[in-house]
Amino acid sequence: MKLEIKDLYAGIDGKAIIKGANLSMKEGEVHVIMGPNGSGKTTLAKTIFGYPSVKVTQGDVLVDGKSILGLTTDKRAALGLFLGFQYPVEIEGVGFVNFLRASKEAVSQSQANMKELMKDIKVWSGELKMDDSIIGRALNKGLSGGEKKKAEILQMILQRPKIAILDEPDSGLDIDAIKVVAENINKAIEETGVGMLVITHYNRILSYMHPQHVHIMVNGKIVADGSKELIEKLEKEGYESFDHR
Amino acid sequence: MIDQSKFVEEALNEYHRLPEEGDSLYIRRFAPLGLDIDKYGSGRSDGKEDKVRKFYEELRENTGMSFDATVWESGCIVKDGNPAIRLVKFGDNEYGKAISNKLFRSGDDKYVAMLHATAKQALVIDIKDGMSADLKVLFAVVGGSLPMQVFVNLGKNARLGLFEWHASDCAKPCFSGTVRELRLQEGAACDISVLHNENANTTVLEHTKGTTSEGGSSTINFIYTGGNAVRARNSIEASGRESMVRVGELAISSKRQKFDLNTYVVNAAGGSEARLSSAAVAMQESTCYLKGFAVITNGSKDARSFVEEKGLLLDGMAKINSIPSMSIGENAVKATHSSAIGPIDQDSMFYLTSRGISAETAKRLMVLGFFSGPISGIRSGLVKEVVSSVISGKIRSNGEFGELPKLNAENVIWEGSREAGIEQHYKYRTEK
Ligand SMILES: Nc1ncnc2c1ncn2[C@@H]1O[C@H](COP(=O)(O)OP(=O)(O)OP(=O)(O)O)[C@@H](O)[C@H]1O
Ligand SMILES: [Mg+2]
């Protein structure tokens, strides 16, 4: 699978937020986007998924050469895209297991094997060092910030996407948890060959991962593409040297 | 001679034009004319019993639920050998007359008086001191109209679990009216669920009065899904010291349904607790009024009262009016009320659909989620499933109601259920 963002302009309520973003990635690749607060990283991820109030004014988002902008959010996910949220939503009364089942059935277009699903949940929540009481709970309800992030990774693993966009999977995690999450992301890449687009502010999670491509986003634009060395430059100079407004 | 069906139709039309019926309507339409019960579908059984039987069988097939009593306009079948439940004809004897008078005290609601004018029988559920029973009753309106009386008397420390399924299959305008009196003696406890799933030709009139003596506890859940209109006037009282009342209202309206739900929870004694939680979902062009009212009488020291009303609007034309209110005649009490109504949360919708779940399924999940609190207040697992299935079926079919649903509670969890509960749930589902 190939995901391309081509000269994309998008905004909310008439306010331009994404201003000419370009990015291309394939299954199996690990990409990182870094950028200052408010630069539009989350909005870019939401645009890829068709968030209702984001309006694309120019450019395109393509999967395997075909535009996905005309598809509803669920259809985009069905192509094999996954979005790990920066702020996972708490949903009253919707059970975590039933939610997972519904999403699995929707993506695979077949009835889920409950026994297998329950087993997978147990195995992977164990790997992620999560309390498996999450199983009997409502979706994200009452989970701590870090637990919510782990639950996103758990969902990503269970859904087996082809390309996953993880929006700050490390924010709010303690030092040990960051390592656990990174290891599990790596495992998913190894086992399923999923492509990753990781949005982050911190080097720590990247030290456990092997990103081949690093993109810097400033003011709605990808202003630099490169390899891991870009991160070193960033650490030294901050975002200012990338901001050519 | 009046043409009954035309008369009913006109009256109902008029009722529907008014969000809240005025007395003048009642006086013009009902009081002066009176209703001729024989004309109004309560004559001899004209093949209706077969229809009821079909109803019953279908329900049993679809839900696995069997009923201890089945009541229709002109008759009642009670399962053999159940001493807790019986049918009383009003005219039959002194007892029947007493029950009738008890249920229809003067000064009561005008519509109740109208029901009185047409009712001839009451279902009496009488549990002796210290005894317990678990009953399911089907009320089926199959031809005319059903003015039904239910009289529940629980002796000291008696227990009752009761599920009422109110259904109808009328081709012409009709009403499904229930007058219910609950009387709990000291230490008695009831857990009652009343499901209204009548068809579109039916107007639902629901009228319950309850008293709960010292140390007693009344849990009543009303589930409103069917009928072209529902008019509910309920008053449940925590009458004795340390008694407890919990009333749940679950309403899901669609098309042009109009629900008008007015429920009082009353603290009438010290240390008592009364709680009303109303949850309404409105689809399409439907309207739902939630008029919860908390009353704390003078002298009810340390009473606790909670009224919570919440609403979810699924369509732009749907309306929910939440009007919680209270009257407090005592200082040393704790009373809260809250009200929250809004459309489906866009971010929740986005979250679910980003996982591949279609917008329709996401909506259904969220509606069931919205109701999960009130549903978890129902104790019986089977009743939970039935209620969830009816709600889920209503959304799935884009607002159809009055059907007999198959059990399909696919996406429901109830709050507080843990792993074991869930596994058991699926085990139960797959074994069936
Ligand atoms: N719903 C919205 N309505 C109006 N403005 C919005 C909305 N969502 C985002 N924005 C604005 O768009 C800009 C980009 O926000 P976005 O969340 O994409 O940034 P980000 O790069 O993810 O930042 P962070 O690193 O803090 O997560 C911000 O200025 C933000 O205020
Ligand atoms: Mg962000």
Side-chain angles (χ1 to χ4, degrees):
Chain A
M1 184 191 240
K2 189 177 182 192
L3 173 67
E4 291 168 283
I5 298 158
K6 278 197 170 158
D7 193 30
L8 189 69
Y9 286 77
I12 298 178
D13 289 341
K15 177 188 167 199
I17 298 171
I18 306 298
K19 305 163 185 171
N22 284 286
L23 198 155
S24 172
M25 68 172 294
K26 285 204 206 73
E27 233 172 310
E29 295 177 355
V30 180
H31 290 241
V32 170
I33 298 183
M34 301 183 86
N37 295 130
S39 57
K41 304 178 297 297
T42 297
T43 306
L44 179 66
K46 285 182 169 176
T47 311
I48 296 170
F49 275 82
Y51 185 72
S53 50
V54 176
K55 298 284 172 265
V56 173
T57 48
Q58 198 183 311
D60 212 342
V61 179
L62 311 167
V63 165
D64 294 332
K66 270 193 228 144
S67 174
I68 60 167
L69 292 181
L71 300 180
T72 53
T73 300
D74 57 314
K75 293 285 178 340
R76 299 184 197 201
L79 292 175
L81 293 172
F82 179 90
L83 175 58
F85 281 59
Q86 180 176 2
Y87 303 110
V89 185
E90 296 190 8
I91 304 181
E92 186 191 355
V94 175
F96 186 66
V97 174
N98 292 300
F99 158 70
L100 283 180
R101 182 172 83 151
S103 88
K104 242 189 141 50
E105 291 185 345
V107 172
S108 69
Q109 290 291 313
S110 63
Q111 195 137 19
N113 180 333
M114 280 316 292
K115 240 190 192 147
E116 228 161 75
L117 180 60
M118 296 299 287
K119 208 180 83 196
D120 281 351
I121 294 171
K122 274 199 190 142
V123 169
W124 285 99
S125 58
E127 293 282 337
L128 282 159
K129 300 200 168 31
M130 292 169 74
D131 183 351
D132 67 6
S133 72
I134 185 178
I135 289 171
R137 284 210 209 171
L139 190 48
N140 293 327
K141 204 86 189 171
L143 298 189
S144 76
E147 286 169 336
K148 279 183 191 154
K149 288 306 174 74
K150 285 186 171 180
E152 293 291 292
I153 302 301
L154 176 63
Q155 291 174 46
M156 188 269 289
I157 290 167
L158 296 175
Q159 198 161 312
R160 296 186 175 273
K162 292 182 181 136
I163 288 178
I165 300 166
L166 303 179
D167 193 354
E168 301 196 15
D170 52 346
S171 65
L173 290 183
D174 66 53
I175 293 170
D176 296 339
I178 290 179
K179 187 159 180 249
V180 167
V181 161
E183 281 169 358
N184 278 281
I185 294 175
N186 289 339
K187 214 181 286 175
I189 296 170
E190 247 167 63
E191 286 185 13
T192 67
V194 53
M196 285 288 166
L197 180 57
V198 180
I199 298 168
T200 183
H201 287 295
Y202 305 109
N203 211 349
R204 182 178 283 274
I205 189 167
L206 300 177
S207 68
Y208 301 112
M209 297 178 62
H210 316 286
Q212 297 107 1
H213 305 272
V214 176
H215 313 273
I216 309 290
M217 185 161 197
V218 178
N219 190 27
K221 248 191 178 134
I222 306 283
V223 294
D225 302 282
S227 58
K228 250 186 152 172
E229 283 78 70
L230 254 188
I231 302 170
E232 281 154 38
K233 183 176 173 210
L234 190 63
E235 293 269 302
K236 276 199 215 100
E237 301 172 12
Y239 286 114
E240 244 163 61
S241 64
F242 293 96
D243 193 352
H244 308 300
R245 251 179 292 192
Chain B
M1 260 302 172
I2 42 168
D3 177 347
Q4 285 289 343
S5 62
K6 193 151 168 276
F7 161 72
V8 173
E9 192 175 334
E10 276 173 18
L12 293 178
N13 278 341
E14 194 150 346
Y15 176 70
H16 292 160
R17 274 202 295 280
L18 302 160
E20 291 164 77
E21 79 288 354
D23 280 358
S24 60
L25 164 71
Y26 168 77
I27 290 162
R28 251 195 9 259
R29 287 301 183 192
F30 293 115
L33 293 172
L35 289 175
D36 178 355
I37 180 99
D38 290 326
K39 272 267 172 193
Y40 208 5
S42 212
R44 286 297 310 149
S45 119
D46 44 354
K48 277 179 198 151
E49 199 170 326
D50 294 348
K51 225 166 159 185
V52 173
R53 231 172 255 288
K54 237 184 79 193
F55 230 126
Y56 177 92
E57 291 300 335
E58 208 171 322
L59 261 181
R60 196 169 58 176
E61 178 123 329
N62 288 355
T63 64
M65 192 174 260
S66 74
F67 293 91
D68 299 279
T70 303
V71 186
W72 67 101
E73 296 95 303
S74 53
C76 172
I77 304 168
V78 178
K79 239 194 216 168
D80 288 345
N82 199 331
I85 188 165
R86 70 199 138 112
L87 193 75
V88 172
K89 302 269 182 198
F90 287 162
D92 282 0
N93 51 32
E94 287 309 307
Y95 183 67
K97 279 182 201 139
I99 296 279
S100 166
N101 289 335
K102 171 116 199 73
L103 287 166
F104 303 108
R105 278 171 302 220
S106 59
D108 260 337
D109 187 275
K110 300 274 167 65
Y111 277 81
V112 175
M114 184 272 281
L115 290 175
H116 190 194
T118 60
K120 277 197 167 166
Q121 56 189 23
L123 197 67
V124 175
I125 296 173
D126 197 4
I127 316 286
K128 303 270 175 272
D129 292 357
M131 305 295 278
S132 72
D134 203 350
L135 302 170
K136 298 186 185 69
V137 182
L138 170 63
F139 296 86
V141 188
V142 288
S145 284
L146 182 62
M148 193 60 214
Q149 290 67 50
V150 184
F151 184 60
V152 175
N153 184 39
L154 298 192
K156 284 180 186 150
N157 298 315
R159 297 273 176 280
L160 172 68
L162 172 64
F163 176 59
E164 295 181 12
W165 186 308
H166 294 255
S168 76
D169 182 24
C170 323
K172 285 192 219 141
C174 67
F175 64 82
S176 163
T178 315
V179 179
R180 195 180 291 98
E181 165 120 10
L182 312 171
R183 204 166 54 188
L184 275 70
Q185 312 293 348
E186 286 80 12
C190 69
D191 179 17
I192 299 176
S193 299
V194 178
L195 171 64
H196 281 284
N197 191 29
E198 288 89 343
N199 75 1
N201 287 322
T202 314
T203 297
V204 177
L205 304 173
E206 171 70 51
H207 194 283
T208 302
K209 281 199 168 186
T211 53
T212 315
S213 305
E214 187 170 336
S217 117
S218 297
T219 301
I220 308 167
N221 287 290
F222 296 97
I223 302 103
Y224 302 105
T225 69
N228 53 29
V230 175
R231 175 191 184 272
R233 297 291 181 268
N234 299 319
S235 167
I236 316 294
E237 186 182 280
S239 333
R241 285 196 59 79
E242 308 292 332
S243 62
M244 196 164 75
V245 158
R246 282 169 201 276
V247 182
E249 283 177 330
L250 285 82
I252 175 163
S253 58
S254 65
K255 304 195 172 183
R256 313 196 67 154
Q257 280 182 304
K258 195 180 286 173
F259 291 1
D260 175 6
L261 313 178
N262 184 191
T263 297
Y264 287 74
V265 286
V266 183
N267 292 87
S272 60
E273 181 174 316
R275 188 182 286 271
L276 169 67
S277 324
S278 306
V281 169
M283 305 166 70
Q284 296 149 350
E285 293 163 66
S286 62
T287 308
C288 187
Y289 287 81
L290 298 177
K291 300 185 278 193
F293 204 112
V295 179
I296 303 179
T297 63
N298 190 1
S300 304
K301 283 215 174 2
D302 300 321
R304 299 175 303 279
S305 167
F306 309 91
V307 173
E308 185 199 7
E309 297 183 344
K310 53 177 196 169
L312 188 60
L313 298 160
L314 295 195
D315 295 291
M317 300 282 284
K319 280 196 212 75
I320 297 174
N321 289 317
S322 162
I323 317 161
S325 203
M326 48 177 57
S327 142
I328 300 180
E330 175 59 49
N331 289 324
V333 298
K334 186 181 165 195
T336 64
H337 70 297
S338 68
S339 163
I341 291 158
I344 273 197
D345 176 48
Q346 181 184 267
D347 285 319
S348 304
M349 193 73 182
F350 179 63
Y351 189 79
L352 295 176
T353 52
S354 81
R355 300 294 193 254
I357 297 169
S358 70
E360 290 85 88
T361 306
K363 226 186 217 185
R364 207 167 64 230
L365 280 172
M366 275 188 275
V367 170
L368 283 170
F370 176 81
F371 282 127
S372 74
I375 290 176
S376 61
I378 298 170
R379 210 167 304 147
S380 151
L382 182 55
V383 174
K384 274 180 180 148
E385 291 230 23
V386 166
V387 170
S388 306
S389 303
V390 172
I391 292 169
S392 147
K394 187 155 182 178
I395 304 164
R396 195 189 285 276
S397 64
N398 206 20
E400 296 298 327
F401 53 89
E403 299 292 310
L404 303 178
K406 287 202 164 34
L407 266 199
N408 182 9
E410 22 136 44
N411 290 316
V412 69
I413 70 149
W414 14 98
E415 258 167 32
S417 63
R418 292 267 151 187
E419 189 182 340
I422 296 246
E423 274 182 356
Q424 199 181 22
H425 176 67
Y426 283 110
K427 191 158 158 269
Y428 169 65
R429 294 252 56 84
T430 43
E431 274 173 3
K432 277 190 70 175

